[in-house]
Amino acid sequence: MGETSTKPYLIRALHEWCTDNGYTPYITVQVDEHTMVPLAHVRDGQITLNVGTLATNRLVLGNEFIEFQARFSGVTENVYVPVGAVSAIYARETGAGMGFEVQPYEPPEAGAQGATANTAAPEGPDADADAAPGGDDGDDDEPKRPRLTIVK
């Protein structure tokens, strides 16, 4: 198994630094077919998202994905972003932060450590048919994009 990227750790550290200092953490994301964001807010293939604790619900800053719920124009949306698509995290008030190289999407390896909690529902009625028999690890091999659902 290869060495894990430092990028998700730096994102979490800068998010914590922003929060501890009373700043609002923002991320800039390169949008592609693997990101789930409100497309109406995408400009020039990018979106800037407020990932502060007051602006998000169920925020997970995982090693592979950043996921949360947020309101856009008064409508609650699920946001799902591969960490590799994040090009920057910074404090809105000061601009202090860090830029990153955008990496092409690579599906997580089967049994990879540090993957986010499985909060996504499988896609479509035949998603279970593609899962490996005899265990819960079958969905880790699935390269399909997960779909989040709101449970009330």
Side-chain angles (χ1 to χ4, degrees):
M1 185 164 129
E3 187 175 272
T4 59
S5 171
T6 58
K7 188 173 184 178
Y9 299 92
L10 294 170
I11 290 172
R12 285 192 291 270
L14 286 167
H15 182 275
E16 182 178 352
W17 176 83
C18 286
T19 303
D20 287 352
N21 286 285
Y23 299 140
T24 309
Y26 273 47
I27 59 172
T28 303
V29 177
Q30 189 70 36
V31 177
D32 63 14
E33 66 275 6
H34 302 288
T35 57
M36 189 166 74
V37 297
L39 297 178
H41 299 277
V42 175
R43 300 286 180 260
D44 298 324
Q46 292 188 342
I47 189 168
T48 300
L49 300 165
N50 178 346
V51 291
T53 55
L54 296 176
T56 60
N57 183 35
R58 300 183 185 159
L59 176 65
V60 177
L61 299 171
N63 286 353
E64 300 294 330
F65 294 96
I66 296 172
E67 51 188 310
F68 58 92
Q69 291 178 332
R71 294 179 66 83
F72 295 86
S73 303
V75 178
T76 300
E77 300 270 354
N78 293 309
V79 177
Y80 190 78
V81 175
V83 168
V86 176
S87 60
I89 181 168
Y90 60 95
R92 181 191 70 192
E93 295 81 0
T94 64
M98 183 177 286
F100 301 101
E101 184 176 321
V102 174
Q103 299 138 340
Y105 177 76
E106 293 180 22
E109 295 177 20
Q113 294 291 328
T116 59
N118 187 12
T119 58
E123 280 191 82
D126 60 342
D128 292 332
D130 294 335
D136 294 322
D137 295 329
D139 59 333
D140 287 348
D141 295 332
E142 191 66 38
K144 294 181 183 177
R145 183 171 151 197
R147 196 172 277 152
L148 300 175
T149 56
I150 297 174
V151 179
K152 292 186 180 186

